[in-house]
Amino acid sequence: MANFEAYQEYQRIEDFEEDSPPGEEDLLVHVPEGLRDSWHHIKNLDNFFTRIYHFHQKNGFACMMLSEFFELVQFLFVVTFTTFLFNCVEYDILFANRAVNHTTHSQNPLDRNKVTLPDAILPGQQCTERIQENSWIIFLLIMAATFWVYRLIKVFCNVLSYWEIRQFYIKALKIRMDELCNFTWQEVQGRLISLQREQQMCIHKKELTELDIYHRILRFKNYMVAMVNKSLLPVQLQLPLLGDVVFLTQGLKYNFELILFWGPGSLFQNKWNLHPKYKRAGNRLELAQQLSRVILLMGVANLLLCPFILVWQVLYAFFSYTEVIRREPGSLGARRWSLYGRLYLRHFNELDHELHGRLGRGYKPVSKYMNSFTSPLLAVLAKNVAFFSGSVLAVLIALTVYDEDVLTVQHILTAITVLGVVITITRSFIPDEHMVWCPEQLLQCVLAHIHYMPDHWKGNANKSETRDEMAQLFQYKAVFILEELLSPIVTPFILIFLLRNKSLEIIDFFRNFTVEVLGVGDICSFAQMDIRRHGNPQWMSEGQTEASVYQQAENGKTELSLMHFTIKNPRWQPPQESSVFISHLKEKVQQDAVGGPSAQLLLSEAPLCTSLLSSESATAGPDNLLASVLAHPVLTSSGLPGRDRRFVPPSTAASAAASVLASLSASQLPPRPRPHGPLPANHSESPMYCSDRTAVDSMYVSDLRIRSQTSSTLHSEFASAEMSLHAIYMHEVHQQSSQPQRSSGQWQAPVPMRDLSSHAGQRLAGAQLHPVHTGSISVPTPLRGWTEEEEEEEEEEEINSGSPPRQNVGSSG
């Protein structure tokens, strides 16, 4: 009877408006007089929470609107300046191919031979005539003007929308704009949850959880992460000469989202509900043919728009990177996380700033790993090419210093620039003479931050195949630029010849992995992080999961995502199945820590740990917590004596991580300082190891140092270090369970999860369950070009607002 009453309380309202998800027709149904503003009746909560998130991440109203304004100015500048260069400059005069008749008298006869800029610029009337005579220029200018006017209207709408969000921050969340940068997203999220408890924003849920907010912000993005995890999207290509190549650009990703989520003929009937016909298996073949036709039309549209998009890509790349290449030629040899890497390495329910922070911490270890691979043959060639090029460049520089008239000689500046670029490129092939070859340790450091690594990388870190696969995740900036330039050409063929063949698989994927959550809408079931439904027995889920091979997430994505979300949101109350898994994991850590070295010994042997005793910043605490695990197994793998002359038994990274993790749960520190403003009183601490109650705090970080830092930043760093330890530990246990016959130096064999004591599950049997929801969104970027800093979070806002795309169909801008 109680279950029936609960069902009645949460049943769907029949007469709801079409533009709102089930159960969310009114955002605020009880609003005090002081809060009666325009946000009390918000139809699209996905858009509302997403705008609140972007408002916080982009530092408030002024910064966001200034960025929008300069995007308009930038687009206008590129169009007008390019038109001017093509139609209003006389290049024969500029290059001195035609003499200029100077009628003015000058005292210096040499001035008659000099060409000035006004000589090469056509008069306004003649320039206008040239433009009018070229019909293609007029057509392109009309298209550009239409797009610019659309963007202008969109910016005006954004101003109004974000002004309301600004008022919501000030009046409802009690956060002034001058204090916004001092609040973390967790603090803003806590105030949203508290406001729901006071004002009942969501009428069908008394409690708004962290997962509700994440699901609304990341609804579509969780689908994309799941499709990459299940290798459903055709981004891995087999080319005749290049072999295995991963190709995923902003333009291709934009088309995927357009076809699947929010474009004409997409699978979703609105921003939060999959069309009912895709939920039935009876007409899957017919729906696959329909989706195939949509993909074909989209591919043809990309093919027709290819010339225009390609011209824009080339122009924007030229204006963006020419000066950078001239000033820093080595910038093309730098690396960046690829778009495929960001989707492959992303946890379910991981916000943009969390992903960027995690990958940012892993940037240096990955760079060191990639740079540790050198070719002796290329190194010899590079040294000699650098010598000859440097010799010629040195002579040219000396001549210009002696007499600056040398610069007037034809192609001297070109030669100096080209030689500088050649020297910079060749030096990138010359290895550092002080480099130490330790690929396995470097790869372990990489794993600590990126959290995901294919099984066959273990023990093969020194092989070129592993490096090539890592290069797919961590690509050269030059490769990124080249792929974006080729995107308008390649994207139509991927859509027409590859994506169409996967139409039936896509239909089955959305039918099998979509669940409906009342008050939230349809979400990807993987985003629920349900161990029972999507767990993998080889990732410590044995005995707890009922998932088939098809239903299991690959690479431990479900288990690692659950751990990451639990650590990042310590006040979140997991469902019963998740709580049981976390409790079993904690018990296994405690069990494995018994046979490992003590945490005090690990911390004392860490190479950087002694810096904590000096006057340096306390930020080294989390770093040394992780370094103690990464360095110790390498230093003591053969039972070498420690620094204090005590014999240290052989150990692995798993045993070391278990020891440190066990010490985290055993440490007893005062509770963390309360964040800005009141938080819910009934929120408990994390059921996991509390990252703000670490042994490092009590052993090495004094109270004075903690007070000298922002407490929220310190807690975030310890949470990241804690998750890194879990990633190392879970990967090691997974490797040992999948390869039981290890070398004799390995630590004790892992105990299956089903053999652990079950009293923790019994304790949690009566735990309160909270509905699990999701949210992911991807949005088109404007046709303003692309840079390596323009990540996909720039796209999020437009899809949620329900507006048409900001760029053409195939644009990769």
Side-chain angles (χ1 to χ4, degrees), residues 239-508:
L239 299 182
L241 298 178
L242 300 178
D244 294 335
V245 175
V246 171
F247 187 87
L248 180 61
T249 62
Q250 293 286 357
L252 184 58
K253 174 178 170 290
Y254 173 88
N255 279 273
F256 288 158
E257 295 165 353
L258 185 68
I259 293 170
L260 299 176
F261 301 124
W262 53 269
S266 65
L267 279 63
F268 278 72
Q269 63 179 0
N270 50 41
K271 302 302 179 294
W272 43 82
N273 284 116
L274 188 69
H275 200 283
K277 63 183 179 181
Y278 292 103
K279 300 179 182 180
R280 298 187 294 267
N283 54 349
R284 55 192 291 267
L285 296 178
E286 179 184 350
L287 294 175
Q289 294 177 356
Q290 179 181 341
L291 178 61
S292 177
R293 289 192 295 269
V294 172
I295 296 174
L296 177 61
L297 292 176
M298 202 64 63
V300 173
N302 274 269
L303 199 60
L304 296 176
L305 294 173
C306 175
F308 308 107
I309 301 172
L310 182 62
V311 169
W312 171 259
Q313 294 286 74
V314 173
L315 287 176
Y316 195 87
F318 175 79
F319 289 135
S320 299
Y321 294 105
T322 302
E323 189 276 334
V324 176
I325 294 174
R326 186 199 65 82
R327 176 169 42 87
E328 298 180 20
S331 62
L332 293 179
R335 289 184 178 269
R336 67 184 301 274
W337 294 103
S338 67
L339 186 57
Y340 170 77
R342 293 175 186 275
L343 290 175
Y344 177 84
L345 300 175
R346 189 170 195 146
H347 294 295
F348 294 120
N349 302 310
E350 184 175 20
L351 292 172
D352 292 332
H353 75 280
E354 296 171 345
L355 174 68
H356 296 163
R358 179 164 61 88
L359 297 185
R361 294 183 186 93
Y363 184 87
K364 288 185 178 180
V366 181
S367 297
K368 290 181 180 179
Y369 173 75
M370 299 299 290
N371 293 335
S372 64
F373 288 83
T374 59
S375 171
L377 180 61
L378 285 179
V380 172
L381 294 176
K383 288 179 181 179
N384 286 275
V385 172
F387 172 78
F388 294 125
S389 301
S391 301
V392 177
L393 180 61
V395 173
L396 295 179
I397 293 176
L399 291 175
T400 56
V401 171
Y402 177 77
D403 190 349
E404 62 181 9
D405 290 337
V406 176
L407 294 174
T408 62
V409 177
Q410 192 175 20
H411 301 313
I412 284 294
L413 283 176
T414 303
I416 293 175
T417 302
V418 171
L419 289 173
V421 172
V422 170
I423 293 173
T424 303
I425 294 176
T426 53
R427 283 179 178 174
S428 64
F429 294 100
I430 302 175
D432 184 3
E433 60 183 14
H434 304 293
M435 181 184 64
V436 179
W437 175 250
C438 50
E440 288 293 343
Q441 184 183 6
L442 287 174
L443 197 59
Q444 188 80 326
C445 294
V446 171
L447 172 64
H449 296 289
I450 67 175
H451 300 172
Y452 293 100
M453 187 177 74
D455 293 341
H456 61 272
W457 286 10
K458 185 71 173 180
N460 296 317
N462 60 335
K463 293 186 177 181
S464 59
E465 292 82 0
T466 304
R467 179 190 181 277
D468 294 339
E469 292 181 12
M470 178 65 80
Q472 295 175 352
L473 308 177
F474 197 60
Q475 63 183 177
Y476 281 116
K477 193 175 296 185
V479 175
F480 161 75
I481 297 174
L482 181 61
E483 287 182 351
E484 292 293 340
L485 291 176
L486 294 177
S487 179
I489 302 174
V490 179
T491 294
F493 297 97
I494 292 180
L495 296 178
I496 295 174
F497 297 105
L498 297 180
L499 186 63
R500 286 181 63 206
N501 297 333
K502 291 183 173 288
S503 298
L504 184 59
E505 297 179 48
I506 293 174
I507 295 297
D508 291 338

Side-chain angles (χ1 to χ4, degrees), residues 517-647:
V517 177
L518 292 180
V520 176
D522 291 330
I523 63 172
C524 180
S525 60
F526 285 102
Q528 289 184 301
M529 302 174 294
D530 187 349
I531 298 297
R532 180 182 56 83
R533 183 171 182 179
H534 296 300
N536 193 322
Q538 295 183 351
W539 284 89
M540 308 181 71
S541 298
E542 187 174 357
Q544 301 182 52
T545 181
E546 303 171 358
S548 64
V549 176
Y550 176 70
Q551 295 172 327
Q552 296 169 3
E554 306 297 330
N555 299 320
K557 180 76 76 172
T558 301
E559 292 79 4
L560 288 168
S561 297
L562 174 61
M563 296 305 305
H564 179 267
F565 190 84
T566 304
I567 293 174
K568 285 294 184 179
N569 299 273
R571 293 179 174 84
W572 176 61
Q573 298 286 334
Q576 182 179 10
E577 293 83 0
S578 300
S579 298
V580 171
F581 173 80
I582 292 172
S583 180
H584 282 191
L585 175 61
K586 187 174 182 178
E587 289 183 8
K588 184 163 175 34
V589 167
Q590 296 286 352
Q591 185 182 49
D592 293 338
V594 175
S598 66
Q600 289 79 5
L601 179 61
L602 285 170
L603 292 169
S604 64
E605 292 295 329
L608 302 177
C609 207
T610 54
S611 64
L612 291 173
L613 303 176
S614 65
S615 59
E616 295 182 4
S617 172
T619 54
D623 294 336
N624 284 277
L625 183 69
L626 185 57
S628 64
V629 175
L630 294 175
H632 183 79
V634 177
L635 297 177
T636 63
S637 58
S638 301
L640 300 177
R643 190 178 56 198
D644 56 356
R645 301 301 178 184
R646 289 180 297 173
F647 184 81

Side-chain angles (χ1 to χ4, degrees), residues 56 59-60 169 175-188 191 674-677 710-713:
H56 175 267
N59 303 306
Y169 265 89
I175 300 176
R176 301 200 313 268
M177 290 301 97
D178 57 343
E179 295 181 348
L180 181 61
C181 59
N182 298 327
F183 285 78
T184 64
W185 170 249
Q186 280 68 27
E187 292 169 341
V188 174
R191 295 203 174 195
R674 293 179 65 85
H676 301 276
T710 304
S711 60
S712 59
T713 302

